[in-house]
Amino acid sequence: MFFRWKIQQSDKKLLSVQPAAGTILPNEALAQTWTFTPSEETKYLLRASVTVWRDQETLNDKAPESVRYPLRVIGEGATATLTAQEEQVDVGNILVGRTQSCELALLNNGACSLKYVLSVEQMITGPCDPEEVAGDALAIDLDHYRGMIPARGKIVLRATLSPARQLHYTWTVFYALSTMKAMEPLAEKQPVCRVTATGIYPSICITDACGTGSARGISKLLLWQLFSLETLNKYLERDPTPKELTFRVPTRHSTQRIPPVYTPVMLDFNFGAAPVGSEPSTVVLMLQNNGVMLVNWAFLLPSDQKIDMEYWAECAELDPSELHQMRIQDNRLFNIS
């Protein structure tokens, strides 16, 4: 059986069918795709017809053996928009280098299904160079960027946030409807919601210091100078360098007796002088968590960072610096508790 669909000329911009003509073999079923593209918000009554015939040699839908079946197509054009259940989502503080997820609920309040395409724009604000942060990679990832929402339906979108700087992030999520006419749907994008978060580092500072034992006679002002505490606090306020982030948790990572130092600043803790055999000099430092997140801290001696190796793998030759370092640790000239 041969067939050919015919749609009125005035309705061809609104209605189409694929395939429009063809052959159906005996006991065969053929699926067809009808596309309705309304141009305005109104009801439509469209007319089409299909002509079928059996004589392969005739190949003419006007032959007497052909049969014509009329078809009425009823449709309605409607406008719809995509909205968010929460237009503003504040995730709060996120540790730089970590990830955190949140859910975004998108709603379709219209009477027809919507095919959508999502995109995200990022804005970074705070004490930074705008040109430098403009080239940062997008610090948000959506679990999908294309999809369809049924009429009066709802979907839940999962967003994963991973700030790379200690700055304030704002992500604006846009949507665009994907239709037959919209060859580039993102050219007509509309904002649907905004997500904000702040990247932070753990933060501590020294708020007080006092000396006991042989150091009890040192004034606080001199003690702050001997221990470079003002410089230390200024350094602790800075963002860590990439090298400092090599080992984020205390770990034994070096085979050397004097592990490499990754901090760009070296400070002196000067205990002053005391007679041989006198009472030990003890300095008490008051640490304060001046940030908004829990802080785990640790003072690491060289022995805390050295990997324990077999005896045969140890280097028997020590340079003067390594010998000096070993004497200090073996004699326990310093103790931190």
Side-chain angles (χ1 to χ4, degrees), residues 5-71:
W5 283 98
K6 183 177 181 181
I7 300 174
Q8 292 184 359
Q9 187 66 32
S10 59
D11 296 339
K12 286 187 176 181
K13 293 183 178 181
L14 306 174
L15 187 67
S16 63
V17 58
Q18 291 294 334
T23 305
I24 304 178
L25 300 177
N27 298 317
E28 182 186 26
L30 176 65
Q32 293 190 302
T33 302
W34 287 82
T35 304
F36 173 54
T37 311
S39 58
E40 57 185 18
E41 190 174 358
T42 184
K43 293 184 178 181
Y44 292 87
L45 176 60
L46 310 175
R47 299 185 182 277
S49 62
V50 59
T51 303
V52 296
W53 66 96
R54 297 181 180 179
D55 188 358
Q56 183 178 5
E57 296 180 356
T58 303
L59 296 179
N60 185 1
D61 56 358
K62 295 182 180 180
E65 296 84 2
S66 63
V67 180
R68 179 174 175 273
Y69 299 96
L71 177 69

Side-chain angles (χ1 to χ4, degrees), residues 98-131:
R98 300 289 180 85
T99 60
Q100 186 168 329
S101 299
C102 66
E103 292 184 346
L104 308 175
L106 303 183
L107 308 175
N108 174 15
N109 297 321
C112 57
S113 299
L114 294 181
K115 290 184 178 180
Y116 61 88
V117 180
L118 300 177
S119 62
V120 183
E121 290 184 1
Q122 176 174 274
M123 181 175 64
I124 304 176
T125 56
C128 62
D129 183 2
E131 295 183 357

